Each structure stands twice: as structure tokens, then as C-alpha cells.
Amino acid sequence: MKLTQNFELSEFEQSATATAHKIDNHVPKSLIPNIKNLCEQVLEPLRQHFNEPIVIGSGYRCPQLNALAGGVKYSQHLTGEAADIRIPVYDFVASDGTHHTNMEILNKWFIWIMDNCDFDQLIKETTNRKTYWIHVSCKRDRSQNRHSVITFLLKGGGK
């Protein structure tokens, strides 16, 4: 199912962990509007602005998958309001021809989302100072978006 010009529902359902553990991680129909809202408010504008590919590293998580991923009890991944995003490579040539590292691209995205989008949480995360991603969430009731901005270094293997 196409959510916006550049995002499909299947991107939010795919998970290597779910596949390995034979977990059904299909999004309940009642949560699809939450994911569509996240795409419309943050992900699609980001994609359109930079014209760079965005990988959904973790989108929707059913409760079993969230527990295996080490997600918090009330994770917004459970409600389809959050996604962890990254670029598909570590060194990247942008649409303007300039060469950038993964961290440089994510820093640009992080600042752009902070300055241009309505969001609930915006978290720049790393597990080992080599693997970086951005966790971004957005509530459908925009009056509930807290605009919380955090940089976070996880100790150990990840979440």
C-alpha cells in the first residue's frame, strides 16, 4: 500500500528480527493512519527536500517484536507513530554531487527535521559511533507533539 509518493506500508512492516523469529509484524488497519501521518508530516517532506534515499530501519513493531528489539514498554513504534531512519550507505554522494559521510547526512536531516517539521520526538542515536540513525515520531493530534530533541549513545549492541 502506497502511503505517500516515496513510502510504502511494507517498509514499516519489514524486520529481519521478525522474519528470523517468525513473527507476524503486519500493521493493524487501525494504526495505518498514524504511519501515514508520520510520512506526510516528516518523512516525505524530508525525502522531497534532500532528494536522497531514506531507509526505514525500524517502523511498526508488534508487541512481541518490540520486546525482542529491546524497545520501551510504551514505544511509539507500537502505535505506528515512530520510525528509525538512516541512509542506505556509509559514504554518500548527494544529489548536488558532494561527497558526505553517513553522520554528515544524518546531521543535516536531524537539523532540517528540527527546523521544518512538526514532530513529537527527534533522537539521533548511535551504538558504536559508527552506526547512526534518527528516531523520529509524530502524533496525529499535533497538539500533543512535544518537540523533544535528544542525542543518545547506546552502550552495547543496540535496541
Side-chain angles (χ1 to χ4, degrees):
M1 167 193 277
K2 197 167 198 65
L3 299 169
T4 61
Q5 180 180 344
N6 290 289
F7 294 95
E8 299 276 343
L9 182 61
S10 61
E11 295 177 79
F12 292 84
E13 295 174 324
Q14 62 190 1
S15 164
T17 302
T19 300
H21 290 85
K22 297 180 175 35
I23 297 169
D24 179 0
N25 194 49
H26 286 95
V27 177
K29 287 184 182 180
S30 63
L31 299 181
I32 292 173
N34 293 347
I35 296 173
K36 188 169 174 51
N37 178 66
L38 175 62
C39 289
E40 290 171 345
Q41 297 302 316
V42 180
L43 302 179
E44 188 65 34
L46 177 68
R47 174 71 170 85
Q48 293 291 327
H49 180 78
F50 286 104
N51 193 30
E52 296 168 352
I54 297 172
V55 173
I56 308 298
S58 182
Y60 170 73
R61 294 182 195 151
C62 67
Q64 187 179 4
L65 178 58
N66 191 60
L68 282 171
V72 296
K73 184 177 182 179
Y74 298 106
S75 171
Q76 288 178 289
H77 288 279
L78 293 163
T79 58
E81 295 176 325
D84 296 340
I85 61 173
R86 61 179 176 78
I87 63 172
V89 293
Y90 287 102
D91 290 310
F92 184 78
V93 179
S95 57
D96 64 4
T98 57
H99 182 270
H100 300 279
T101 65
N102 179 283
M103 190 60 191
E104 289 169 334
I105 295 291
L106 287 181
N107 280 334
K108 286 190 332 184
W109 289 3
F110 190 80
I111 292 166
W112 192 87
I113 293 168
M114 188 171 38
D115 291 344
N116 296 281
C117 296
D118 189 19
F119 61 90
D120 184 48
Q121 289 185 315
L122 181 63
I123 307 171
K124 186 169 36 175
E125 300 182 75
T126 182
T127 56
N128 56 14
R129 299 192 188 269
K130 293 180 185 171
T131 305
Y132 298 92
W133 66 94
I134 294 172
H135 168 93
V136 63
S137 66
C138 184
K139 295 182 176 285
R140 281 174 49 208
D141 178 351
R142 294 173 66 184
S143 69
Q144 292 184 4
N145 284 333
R146 298 170 287 176
H147 300 101
S148 175
V149 178
I150 302 166
T151 299
F152 193 66
L153 171 62
L154 293 171
K155 303 290 184 188
K159 58 181 197 173

